């Protein structure tokens, strides 16, 4: 079955507007896509129930709050079958902001955010390296994030 069967161009336009500015009121979105604010609300609820929309979040700049280090970790597992257990343990570490189960040389690729290099050392040594099932890690410190965007919707 086609996953996009229940999504039309109006839904895509609503999503595109909200991805650009999640703070737009439904009434304003309705004006821009030529439907009522109530229709926007109903369509958003439908897309939440379908699992297309998974909530909303406030995006902050961690560096402006003193969290200056972003790093990526290539994580080698003792066995790839340990992924679920390791992922659950990594979820409990607040500095781990996302993880991916990957192909290639790493089993997991993760992003962590820390206040400074001392905090990074503590997170790596005292938290991540102690997770059962992790064999070893490789750390890559990000010097700049140039692009962080969603997929293009609607007009291409």
């Amino acid at each position: 079955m086609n996953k996009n069967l229940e999504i039309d161009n109006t839904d895509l336009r609503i999503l595109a507007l909200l991805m650009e500015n999640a703070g737009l009121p439904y009434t304003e979105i309705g004006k821009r896509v030529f439907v009522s604010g109530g229709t926007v609300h109903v369509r958003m609820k439908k897309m939440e129930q379908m699992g297309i929309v998974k909530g909303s979040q406030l995006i902050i700049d961690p560096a402006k709050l003193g969290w200056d280090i972003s790093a990526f970790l290539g994580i080698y597992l003792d066995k790839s079958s340990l992924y679920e257990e390791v992922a659950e343990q990594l979820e409990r570490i607040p500095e781990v902001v996302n993880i991916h189960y990957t192909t290639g040389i790493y089993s997991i690729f993760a992003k962590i955010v820390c206040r400074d290099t001392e905090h990074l050392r503590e997170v790596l040594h005292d938290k991540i390296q102690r997770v059962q099932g992790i064999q070893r890690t490789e750390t890559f410190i990000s010097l700049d994030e140039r692009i962080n965007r969603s997929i293009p919707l609607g007009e291409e």
Side-chain angles (χ1 to χ4, degrees):
M1 181 191 284
N2 184 343
K3 290 192 266 185
N4 297 324
L5 254 142
E6 298 180 50
I7 300 299
D8 62 16
N9 284 334
T10 301
D11 291 326
L12 290 173
R13 288 169 48 215
I14 291 168
L15 289 174
L17 286 168
L18 285 169
M19 286 168 41
E20 187 178 310
N21 179 358
L24 275 177
Y26 286 173
T27 53
E28 177 61 28
I29 294 167
K31 287 177 189 173
R32 293 185 191 187
V33 299
F34 307 107
V35 298
S36 71
T39 299
V40 173
H41 177 78
V42 168
R43 285 174 175 256
M44 286 301 297
K45 282 291 178 207
K46 175 189 78 170
M47 289 187 281
E48 285 175 21
Q49 291 168 348
M50 293 172 67
I52 294 168
V53 174
K54 296 183 176 188
S56 60
Q57 65 183 160
L58 180 66
I59 300 171
I60 61 162
D61 182 345
K64 299 247 193 286
L65 295 173
W67 292 66
D68 293 329
I69 303 286
S70 290
F72 296 92
L73 300 178
I75 300 173
Y76 296 89
L77 298 179
D78 290 328
K79 294 185 284 188
S80 61
S81 61
L82 294 172
Y83 169 71
E84 283 297 327
E85 295 167 47
V86 170
E88 286 175 15
Q89 293 177 72
L90 291 172
E91 285 178 28
R92 294 187 201 117
I93 301 171
E95 294 87 353
V96 176
V97 296
N98 77 41
I99 61 172
H100 296 268
Y101 190 31
T102 59
T103 62
I105 61 172
Y106 309 115
S107 299
I108 297 174
F109 204 69
K111 180 179 180 183
I112 63 174
V113 180
C114 298
R115 290 182 298 276
D116 51 35
T117 54
E118 178 62 23
H119 185 206
L120 174 63
R121 189 202 63 74
E122 289 170 12
V123 170
L124 291 171
H125 183 266
D126 299 339
K127 296 179 180 181
I128 293 172
Q129 302 280 332
R130 295 185 184 201
V131 170
Q132 292 296 313
I134 290 181
Q135 183 183 87
R136 66 187 174 98
T137 63
E138 290 185 25
T139 305
F140 308 88
I141 294 176
S142 172
L143 301 176
D144 178 51
E145 181 179 272
R146 181 70 173 244
I147 298 173
N148 183 357
R149 62 179 168 213
S150 295
I151 60 168
L153 292 180
E155 300 174 34
E156 296 174 29

